Amino acid sequence: MNYGSVTSQYIGGPIDVKAMTALQGKLLMTLSSHLALLEEQLSDDREWLFDSELPSLADITVHFILTWVKKWLTRISDHLRKRQAGQAAVQAITGDHAARTIVSAAHEPYDVVGFDGQEAAHLGLKLNDYVQIAPDDTGKKFPTVGKLAGFNKEEVVIEVQGLKGLLRCHFPRLAYTVTMSRPHKL
């Protein structure tokens, strides 16, 4: 059973992708408003979200979400600490040396990410199109431009021709915007 059919059964009807897409901006705005309200409620030193005598369902719901986030943060922090403990001291290198090292390094085969043409078509994109990709929050005025080489539900891969060779840049699909572009020369 696929995700769409399970979700349709759960919500009691078929998923209207066009309608959901049209609501995307409103839903992001709603989430932002909820997070701002949560931050405001917690900033005045109240004991519970609704300033009640006991925790409410809202407190319990936020607790479960944040407990999951805290467990994940602890796990990733522990992993990073272990990795850092075994690392040698950082050695200074030139930008030229770094560029040569990066472009000569092995990269994963293109079929690891693959190219989901149906997924890309939602954005009007095809394999080998020139695109620009930028984060939705900071840095959106400085997109990375390149040839579309991989695209699935989780990530986008573009090829960028640098001064020292070809680079393959991977970006998450979430929180990044991919749009058509014209080829640029560095």
Side-chain angles (χ1 to χ4, degrees):
M1 186 172 280
N2 68 34
Y3 172 78
S5 64
V6 170
T7 305
S8 293
Q9 289 174 3
Y10 177 71
I11 64 172
I15 296 173
D16 184 342
V17 175
K18 287 183 181 178
M20 290 180 78
T21 301
L23 289 174
Q24 182 178 9
K26 181 179 188 285
L27 295 174
L28 288 173
M29 181 187 67
T30 301
L31 175 61
S32 178
S33 295
H34 279 291
L35 292 173
L37 181 59
L38 181 62
E39 182 178 20
E40 181 182 332
Q41 285 175 302
L42 295 175
S43 68
D44 65 3
D45 295 329
R46 65 180 69 197
E47 191 169 3
W48 311 113
L49 284 173
F50 294 131
D51 205 16
S52 53
E53 290 182 29
L54 297 171
S56 68
L57 179 58
D59 294 288
I60 294 168
T61 301
V62 170
H63 166 76
F64 281 114
I65 293 168
L66 295 182
T67 298
W68 179 85
V69 170
K70 182 180 176 187
K71 286 180 183 178
W72 176 81
L73 285 172
T74 300
R75 194 167 51 244
I76 192 71
S77 295
D78 289 345
H79 174 77
L80 292 173
R81 260 191 302 283
K82 288 176 189 172
R83 295 293 303 241
Q84 288 171 342
Q87 295 291 319
V90 175
Q91 179 183 11
I93 61 173
T94 66
D96 184 64
H97 181 257
R100 283 186 280 115
T101 301
I102 292 168
V103 298
S104 66
H107 64 88
E108 67 184 15
Y110 289 101
D111 62 352
V112 170
V113 173
F115 193 86
D116 185 333
Q118 183 177 3
E119 199 57 30
H122 294 303
L123 297 176
L125 303 174
K126 299 182 301 298
L127 185 64
N128 297 320
D129 279 348
Y130 278 86
V131 297
Q132 61 182 19
I133 184 165
D136 294 338
D137 51 8
T138 60
K140 59 175 118 180
K141 292 183 179 180
F142 305 99
T144 303
V145 179
K147 187 168 72 168
L148 189 58
F151 196 97
N152 64 28
K153 291 182 179 174
E154 297 173 354
E155 72 180 288
V156 177
V157 181
I158 63 172
E159 293 179 339
V160 177
Q161 185 61 51
L163 295 175
K164 299 294 180 183
L166 186 68
L167 302 166
R168 288 148 202 92
C169 302
H170 294 246
F171 298 90
R173 286 278 308 274
L174 293 175
Y176 280 78
T177 300
V178 184
T179 56
M180 292 288 288
S181 182
R182 290 189 299 264
H184 288 159
K185 293 185 179 182
L186 292 177

